Amino acid sequence: MRVLVVEDEPMLADAIAEWLRDEAHAVDVAHDGAAALERIAVHDYDVVVLDRDLPVVHGDDVCRELVAARADTRVLMLTAAAEVTDRVAGLSLGADDYLAKPFAFPELAARIQSLGRRCRPAAPPVLRRSGVTLDPARHEVFRDGRYLPLSKKEFAVLAELLRADGAAVSAEHLLEKAWDEHADPFTGAVRLTILKLRRKLGDPPLVETVTGVGYRLR
């Protein structure tokens, strides 16, 4: 998934981002509300992890604009305020979930995974097609019972291909979902990752190139 972390404490923001990247998500970071709105206007995020008390533009205002502009993006609000009234206020703004600080990183990751499922068409927890089984929770992939040791990017790309269920997926979509904002769209990152993925999947070949469109899984 593509995730935006909006947190004005740099160390905490970086810690959250690194944890989520280890979970094979593409993660961008913003340290104030204005920077968050700039990124939201450019990128299509699945989940935004939003600190409520932000400088420049308050987190409440970011949430309002995000909810009004992007119906498919889910918002997980973070805050040091843990009172029931604070949670109710945050959810009333349109946030999909609310987590008080301090929090456990595994719980944050689990909540983000749950929110990500809501912004996509319904899909089984374990993805299967053409003898390939991908378990997002365990970060395991098998082909015909053979374990495949995939990198984070290979795992994320394969997950998107499996979710497409045989439909073609563009390189732009894969770049959007598996890489962060620092990825150069003119590099061959997607093509190289597809090449490595094909090698690891083995024979018979499963990933097809659809000329002028992208890639699909047989």
Side-chain angles (χ1 to χ4, degrees):
M1 288 185 295
R2 187 73 178 268
V3 180
L4 175 63
V5 176
V6 191
E7 168 60 57
D8 64 334
E9 297 181 23
M11 290 184 64
L12 178 57
D14 290 344
I16 294 172
E18 286 307 309
W19 185 279
L20 295 178
R21 286 173 185 138
D22 285 342
E23 297 285 314
H25 300 306
V27 185
D28 299 332
V29 176
H31 297 303
D32 62 66
L37 290 174
E38 289 176 1
R39 286 166 172 79
I40 289 165
V42 174
H43 302 292
D44 184 15
Y45 292 104
D46 296 299
V47 179
V48 174
V49 180
L50 180 65
D51 182 25
R52 192 172 182 187
D53 189 15
L54 291 172
V56 188
V57 177
H58 196 274
D60 288 359
D61 295 321
V62 174
C63 185
R64 289 189 188 96
E65 291 202 31
L66 179 57
V67 170
R70 293 186 180 276
D72 293 336
T73 300
R74 303 303 177 184
V75 179
L76 171 59
M77 192 169 276
L78 293 179
T79 181
E83 297 297 326
V84 172
T85 53
D86 295 306
R87 294 199 297 272
V88 171
L91 293 171
S92 68
L93 293 169
D96 299 279
D97 202 355
Y98 195 101
L99 187 60
K101 301 175 183 177
F103 54 82
F105 283 107
E107 181 183 4
L108 174 64
R111 286 173 180 256
I112 290 171
Q113 192 70 39
S114 176
L115 289 175
R117 287 195 293 268
R118 295 188 208 171
C119 68
R120 300 173 181 271
V126 176
L127 302 172
R128 295 184 176 88
R129 184 178 177 85
S130 303
V132 176
T133 302
L134 183 147
D135 188 333
R138 295 178 179 272
H139 291 272
E140 292 180 342
V141 179
F142 296 85
R143 181 177 184 184
D144 298 326
R146 175 174 60 91
Y147 174 73
L148 304 179
L150 302 186
S151 70
K152 296 173 187 175
K153 298 304 182 190
E154 292 161 359
F155 186 95
V157 167
L158 180 59
E160 290 300 318
L161 293 174
L162 284 165
R163 289 188 180 104
D165 197 25
V169 180
S170 69
E172 291 78 12
H173 177 86
L174 294 174
L175 194 67
E176 176 75 17
K177 295 300 183 184
W179 280 263
D180 60 27
E181 64 183 345
H182 301 295
D184 184 348
F186 299 104
T187 67
V190 173
R191 183 176 56 80
L192 181 60
T193 301
I194 289 288
L195 178 62
K196 292 179 179 178
L197 186 57
R198 282 172 169 154
R199 289 173 179 168
K200 291 185 178 181
L201 286 169
D203 293 321
L206 287 181
V207 181
E208 292 183 330
T209 299
V210 182
T211 304
V213 180
Y215 306 93
R216 74 180 184 92
L217 209 60
R218 293 173 184 260

